[in-house]
Amino acid sequence: MIFYILRHGETFSSKENDAGYGDKQLTTEILPEAIPAIIRMANYLKVIHPDHAAASEILRVQETVAIATRITGVEFTSDPRLNEMLDERNLEPEYPYSGYFEDKKNMVIDFINEMKTKKYKTVFVATHGIVIAALKHLVTTNSFTVEEVGDYPEPGVLTIINNTTIEEVNFNKL
């Protein structure tokens, strides 16, 4: 199975090296300067015909997917397993506390297992950093540790996982 993974377009937080979203966790929009990289990425993807496309429900990912869909014609299904998990007390991810990490890991495992059960060959995923890190490690090594939580690319970089091989294509300045 091949996964083509889009991280949401750049936001104020990702521009500041993921300084945190605070109470804007659910409402943060992508920045206008993120759009050219998303367009270039979508043009790259438009010749690929996935068996399935899934996306986080959170606004910044949905904005990214709307641009990609307009160019590729691929409709993404919202999937809460691809959401960034939130701490209900303050809407801020608190990792690597064990509950957050284990919950996120199990959701990603469930997503991967469903893709395998359905025998998809090609899957598009639009999501957040921690989900990308989990996908990278769980698909290629069947393991994901707290130390690997930050192993994800900046916005504008497409992560392609083909069995045990990972390739990253940067669309930020092409």
Side-chain angles (χ1 to χ4, degrees):
M1 179 178 346
I2 302 174
F3 287 95
Y4 291 86
I5 308 168
L6 301 77
R7 184 172 175 210
H8 60 77
E10 188 165 57
T11 64
F12 74 87
S13 180
S14 60
K15 189 173 185 172
E16 299 297 322
N17 294 318
D18 288 320
Y21 292 100
D23 64 355
K24 303 214 180 296
Q25 181 70 34
L26 300 175
T27 59
T28 294
E29 297 179 351
I30 61 173
L31 298 172
E33 56 262 36
I35 295 172
I38 298 167
I39 290 170
R40 287 189 289 273
M41 189 180 303
N43 280 317
Y44 176 90
L45 292 170
K46 73 181 178 183
V47 298
I48 301 165
H49 305 287
D51 301 307
H52 183 65
S56 161
E57 301 168 309
I58 296 176
L59 179 62
R60 57 192 175 277
V61 172
Q62 289 298 310
E63 290 176 323
T64 301
V65 163
I67 296 166
T69 295
R70 191 170 58 246
I71 294 167
T72 65
V74 173
E75 294 288 333
F76 286 73
T77 302
S78 292
D79 191 322
R81 296 172 295 187
L82 302 175
N83 291 352
E84 192 166 54
M85 283 190 59
L86 308 173
D87 175 32
E88 295 172 7
R89 293 169 293 166
N90 63 10
L91 294 178
E92 183 91 6
E94 286 190 22
Y95 50 88
Y97 86 80
S98 62
Y100 173 82
F101 178 79
E102 289 302 319
D103 287 348
K104 182 46 56 190
K105 179 178 175 179
N106 290 333
M107 287 181 190
V108 175
I109 289 169
D110 186 58
F111 177 79
I112 293 167
N113 287 340
E114 181 182 328
M115 300 303 105
K116 288 178 181 177
T117 299
K118 293 190 175 183
K119 299 185 186 305
Y120 293 143
K121 293 185 184 346
T122 305
V123 178
F124 286 1
V125 177
T127 190
H128 308 271
I130 189 171
V131 179
I132 295 171
L135 283 165
K136 285 173 66 174
H137 292 277
L138 289 167
V139 170
T140 61
T141 68
N142 204 31
S143 173
F144 182 50
T145 66
V146 170
E147 293 76 26
E148 296 162 333
V149 164
D151 185 15
Y152 55 84
E154 66 183 306
V157 175
L158 178 70
T159 302
I160 304 167
I161 304 172
N162 187 352
N163 297 313
T164 59
T165 304
I166 299 172
E167 176 185 1
E168 292 183 342
V169 183
N170 190 333
F171 291 92
N172 287 309
K173 295 188 183 189
L174 295 178

